[in-house]
Amino acid sequence: MKKVKAVDRHKSALVFLMLCVMILILSPWAKAPSPVSPIVPEPEAEALATVQPVKMQELSLLTVEVGLEEAEFSVLAGQNEAFTLRHPDITVELIRIDPNQAYRIFHQSSQLGDSPDIMLLANEWVKEFAASGYLLPADAAFVGKALAEQFDALTSPLKWNGYLWGVPRSMDPFVLVWNTEWLHEWLGEDAALPLTIEQWSALAIRSSELQGTPSWLTLHPSDPLTLLAWLESVSDERSDGIWSGGNRPWEGTLFEQALSLLEQHRSGITLAQTAEEASRLLQDRETLAAVIPYSIAAAMAAEPRLSSDAKLELDHHAWKLPHVWPRGSSFAISSHSEAGDAARTWIAEMTDISIQLQNMEELNKLPVYRSLYDSDRQLSNLLPGRDGKSFPNQASLIKEPKLPERLKELGVIWNSFAMGDITLLDWNKRWTESIANLQLND
């Protein structure tokens, strides 16, 4: 009996012990985390292997070279500084080169494969650079409605093989500036602009009688666009067709009459090497009229003047022609650039409406957006925004990429003529020879 009772007691103890263990295992508080030290599960090794590192923003380095004078370069430098603040991922090295050497420098660096990412080219150069394989298409740099805003006179030199190879930045056509005191003294108070070729002749004769003091005209002696601007004003005819009108555009035309006037009264012409020199001659009453860029002429007109100062008037009647030379500049992307996306971003922002307005306000450079001329009375008085019959709404007649070479040859002939080294007869002969040589090289 005693043995059985002992066994029962052992069984009861064992059952009790098992029940206690089960209670400990199943109890909710057995796994409750400590309120002081929370339990943070560690990620498994496989999960750690799939975590991706944070991707750093890719940086782009752009080199931009521009042939600008110091004042205009300073404005662009400020615009570029604001751009880099908005785009910390793009570093821009902005370099100024001599404007008079820009074509040679850009052409040479492009040939050597060492050109900057972005070049500021005269519109007349763009098609040649594109045809030579030196540029990338720039269509993607026209953001939003920017392309629809462009004037045909500015975009036609940029088109080649179905693409646009540059983005217009500004334009600065030539304008005639007159000393109206001399004009009215020589032709009478009723004289009104624009003048006929007969009135021009009368002025030249009057200057000759006064032994060329003041001169009756001031021109740059080697810039062909200066000459063409004057010819357009005298003849009221566009000049961009002289290379497509046969070999003799100077014979039996108003252009020939105007050149004959220059030849006969060369002694009364002042040859100024810079626009600044020409403007000084106007202000000092040493010349009757001068052909200078609009930006410089507008700055002169805006200056406060005393009653004793020379009375000057801008004559841009020739801008009513279907086409005059806009003297525009455009940003272009080098075909050697490895930062095309960054270049297009930079160009898009450096040519937008706010930049156009700033360049007009600070530099008197005319904007390239049609809508600005529609909405601004001062601009609409200068040029029509959407009138398809006059400049700058019509494309140039020149379609092929040889324009820089043609202008260079014209500049050489003009310089020889202006310096008195050749006659008008020689001019016609040299012109015919230059046309023949260009046709052989096509």
Side-chain angles (χ1 to χ4, degrees):
M1 277 308 279
K2 290 182 181 178
K3 243 180 185 183
V4 172
K5 286 182 180 180
V7 172
D8 289 340
R9 282 197 296 270
H10 286 301
K11 286 182 178 181
S12 297
L14 182 59
V15 170
F16 179 79
L17 179 61
M18 291 178 66
L19 286 172
C20 289
V21 172
M22 290 178 66
I23 290 172
L24 286 172
I25 293 173
L26 297 175
S27 175
W29 51 263
K31 288 189 176 181
S34 168
V36 179
S37 301
I39 299 174
V40 180
E42 295 184 5
E44 298 178 1
E46 184 178 352
L48 286 172
T50 61
V51 175
Q52 298 295 323
V54 177
K55 185 178 181 181
M56 298 298 292
Q57 196 169 20
E58 187 175 350
L59 300 179
S60 296
L61 172 63
L62 286 178
T63 55
V64 181
E65 290 187 6
V66 294
L68 297 174
E69 300 295 347
E70 289 284 0
E72 190 170 358
F73 180 78
S74 177
V75 173
L76 179 61
Q79 295 165 348
N80 176 65
E81 184 177 353
F83 172 88
T84 55
L85 291 176
R86 295 191 300 270
H87 299 272
D89 57 317
I90 301 178
T91 301
V92 182
E93 182 182 10
L94 187 62
I95 302 169
R96 190 187 84 87
I97 61 177
D98 182 355
N100 297 319
Q101 300 297 321
Y103 176 83
R104 180 189 61 80
I105 291 172
F106 288 143
H107 201 275
Q108 183 176 6
S109 64
S110 296
Q111 281 183 320
L112 298 175
D114 192 31
S115 54
D117 296 286
I118 299 172
M119 298 173 281
L120 183 62
L121 303 178
N123 285 2
E124 292 80 19
W125 307 344
V126 172
K127 195 171 292 187
E128 181 199 46
F129 276 63
S132 300
Y134 298 154
L135 303 179
L136 292 176
D139 301 71
F142 291 91
V143 177
K145 298 180 179 179
L147 184 55
E149 288 276 1
Q150 303 297 318
F151 292 110
D152 290 347
L154 293 173
T155 57
S156 62
L158 314 179
K159 294 179 179 178
W160 179 250
N161 280 357
Y163 294 96
L164 281 165
W165 302 88
V167 181
R169 176 177 182 259
S170 63
M171 58 178 169
D172 195 15
F174 279 122
V175 64
L176 262 173
V177 181
W178 292 89
N179 181 313
T180 55
E181 293 174 277
W182 291 119
L183 177 64
H184 292 144
E185 181 177 334
W186 291 5
L187 289 184
E189 291 296 328
D190 295 335
L193 303 175
L195 302 186
T196 64
I197 195 166
E198 290 77 17
Q199 289 175 308
W200 275 102
S201 180
L203 292 175
I205 292 172
R206 177 62 172 160
S207 176
S208 178
E209 293 172 349
L210 297 173
Q211 297 182 346
T213 304
S215 64
W216 65 279
L217 180 63
T218 294
L219 294 173
H220 193 292
S222 56
D223 184 350
L225 295 185
T226 308
L227 171 68
L228 294 178
W230 182 74
L231 292 176
E232 290 165 349
S233 296
V234 175
S235 67
D236 201 26
E237 294 183 2
R238 64 191 295 173
S239 66
D240 57 323
I242 57 176
W243 289 281
S244 58
N247 292 341
R248 303 179 184 276
W250 313 105
E251 298 182 28
T253 65
L254 287 175
F255 287 166
E256 183 187 37
Q257 293 183 44
L259 288 176
S260 179
L261 186 62
L262 295 181
E263 182 177 36
Q264 293 172 24
H265 299 280
R266 185 182 286 114
S267 61
I269 299 173
T270 300
L271 301 176
Q273 296 291 340
T274 66
E276 289 74 17
E277 181 185 354
S279 63
R280 181 191 61 77
L281 292 170
L282 283 164
Q283 291 171 323
D284 293 346
R285 294 185 173 87
E286 295 182 21
T287 190
L288 170 66
V291 177
I292 57 178
Y294 170 79
S295 60
I296 295 178
M300 291 171 55
E303 291 177 359
R305 309 195 70 79
L306 302 175
S307 58
S308 58
D309 291 339
K311 294 178 175 58
L312 305 178
E313 183 175 342
L314 276 61
D315 176 14
H316 49 80
H317 176 80
W319 293 4
K320 297 183 182 298
L321 290 171
H323 184 275
V324 299
W325 298 88
R327 296 182 69 250
S329 61
S330 295
F331 289 116
I333 306 172
S334 168
S335 57
H336 305 292
S337 175
E338 296 181 356
D341 289 341
R344 285 182 279 271
T345 299
W346 189 88
I347 291 175
E349 295 200 19
M350 290 297 101
T351 56
D352 70 11
I353 285 184
S354 63
I355 297 294
Q356 297 289 318
L357 292 173
Q358 182 183 359
N359 290 342
M360 180 179 66
E361 181 179 351
E362 298 188 27
L363 303 169
N364 292 306
K365 292 297 179 75
L366 292 175
V368 300
Y369 280 71
R370 297 176 190 269
S371 58
L372 293 177
Y373 292 83
D374 293 332
S375 60
D376 185 282
R377 178 174 296 180
Q378 180 181 354
L379 285 175
S380 63
N381 288 335
L382 286 174
L383 293 170
R386 302 179 190 278
D387 184 354
K389 297 180 181 179
S390 62
F391 171 78
N393 290 288
Q394 288 198 24
S396 171
L397 297 174
I398 302 171
K399 305 300 181 185
E400 44 82 33
K402 293 283 188 179
L403 182 56
E405 189 177 349
R406 295 182 186 278
L407 286 173
K408 180 181 178 181
E409 182 62 23
L410 175 58
V412 171
I413 298 174
W414 159 235
N415 181 255
S416 297
F417 183 78
M419 303 302 294
D421 296 333
I422 64 173
T423 65
L424 183 54
L425 184 62
D426 297 326
W427 175 298
N428 287 324
K429 183 179 178 181
R430 289 269 297 270
W431 179 263
T432 302
E433 292 173 350
S434 70
I435 292 295
N437 290 334
L438 286 170
Q439 289 173 344
L440 286 174
N441 294 330
D442 283 346

